[in-house]
Amino acid sequence: MSQPWYKYPRIDDYASNPDPDGPFPKPDSNILVPDGVPITALASGVVSGINAPDGSQPGFGQVVTVKLDTPLNPIADHMAYLHLNQISCSQGQRVTFGTPVGVAGPNPQNAGTGFALYHGDYYGFGSTWAQYVGSPELNPVPFLNSLGDISMQTFGPHSSSFAGWYTVHDQIWQCIETSFIIGHGILAAYQQLSIDGNALPVLGLPTSNEIGWAKNGKTGVVQFFERGCLVYDPAHAEDSQPGFNDVYFGKTDQFLPFKPK
């Protein structure tokens, strides 16, 4: 499987002046995450803001702001995930490390996924923006470097929460809650997506069985989950994703027509 989203190459030019978007110091790091990769929370807290305070999408793309349970310092009491293609959480939702908050992909600025520290409930808005932009306290680089080599772990029958979600039938899992099954290549990919080997994989529970598709004489399957979809496409007839082989994360718009109504 691919590496965690925050381990892709970064553009760490915090406080460079001016920012490409305006005459102020650059406030974030950009992480060159492939399209379709889930963006997950890097610390626990509560989602304090989605996009702008009035609900509109800022010019730099969709953004999620999280008020931290434990501030990094007196100023850095929020984290922001910006330049998102999709939002995967809701305002007021509690998140922990590994909770999906969005999806990487095309955005109005065509920028790499942004990560920033902030002092306010809505990133980029409020009086604290002008007061603290470019300040050392909001430099995200030391925090990103501190994450080290945290990586996804394997989820399976050995996991403490497994019996509450799945039963096993000849190496095929059936979801207790939805009754859908996961097997073969998609199962092999899915079970690698737990943040600690005990938590349910970040895609959540299956919301469909495998659904077949064909293109230019090639065939594959797609399976939908609560927080995205996985595609088995060994010929890469429909798409491909860096770091993945036969199975990859499906782009929502591309595979949405296959989703059961």
Side-chain angles (χ1 to χ4, degrees):
M1 292 299 295
S2 139
Q3 59 194 331
W5 73 268
Y6 49 85
K7 296 298 289 183
Y8 282 93
R10 299 196 318 249
I11 301 174
D12 287 334
D13 50 356
Y14 179 78
S16 62
N17 199 359
D19 180 85
D21 195 42
F24 48 80
K26 192 170 186 303
D28 63 343
S29 283
N30 294 103
I31 305 173
L32 305 181
V33 186
D35 292 354
V37 171
I39 303 303
T40 55
L42 299 183
S44 63
V46 174
V47 177
S48 60
I50 300 288
N51 293 328
D54 64 2
S56 63
Q57 177 180 304
F60 53 81
Q62 301 192 68
V63 55
V64 172
T65 309
V66 175
K67 184 175 183 180
L68 299 174
D69 289 340
T70 305
L72 300 185
N73 59 58
I75 306 302
D77 51 10
H78 290 69
M79 287 182 179
Y81 308 85
L82 52 148
H83 306 310
L84 300 175
N85 180 257
Q86 298 174 46
I87 301 293
S88 304
C89 59
S90 57
Q91 192 160 356
Q93 177 181 339
R94 170 158 291 282
V95 299
T96 58
F97 182 90
T99 301
V101 297
V103 180
N107 55 79
Q109 289 190 333
N110 200 28
T113 300
F115 176 77
L117 304 178
Y118 198 55
H119 189 59
D121 286 342
Y122 289 86
Y123 174 81
F125 296 89
S127 61
T128 57
W129 171 259
Q131 183 178 1
Y132 293 111
V133 65
S135 67
E137 292 88 349
L138 297 184
N139 184 354
V141 174
F143 174 80
L144 289 171
N145 288 342
S146 76
L147 294 175
D149 294 323
I150 297 172
S151 61
M152 293 294 182
Q153 304 295 320
T154 301
F155 179 82
H158 66 280
S159 303
S160 59
S161 65
F162 183 87
W165 298 114
Y166 291 102
T167 57
V168 180
H169 307 277
D170 281 337
Q171 301 182 5
I172 293 175
W173 297 0
Q174 182 169 27
C175 179
I176 295 170
E177 183 170 316
T178 70
S179 296
F180 295 117
I181 63 172
I182 315 174
H184 313 296
I186 286 183
L187 175 58
Y190 171 79
Q191 66 180 129
Q192 299 299 317
L193 297 174
S194 171
I195 62 171
D196 61 4
N198 288 308
L200 189 71
V202 296
L203 281 173
L205 301 176
T207 57
S208 78
N209 288 317
E210 293 183 357
I211 301 167
W213 53 266
K215 182 176 182 180
N216 299 326
K218 306 294 185 181
T219 60
V221 297
V222 58
Q223 184 163 15
F224 292 89
F225 296 83
E226 293 174 305
R227 303 182 187 278
C229 64
L230 289 174
V231 180
Y232 176 72
D233 180 10
H236 299 293
E238 187 66 29
D239 201 359
S240 63
Q241 186 174 351
F244 290 71
N245 295 315
D246 292 348
V247 177
Y248 53 79
F249 288 100
K251 297 175 183 175
T252 302
D253 291 345
Q254 193 170 3
F255 289 93
L256 193 59
F258 297 103
K259 188 173 183 179
K261 303 297 183 182

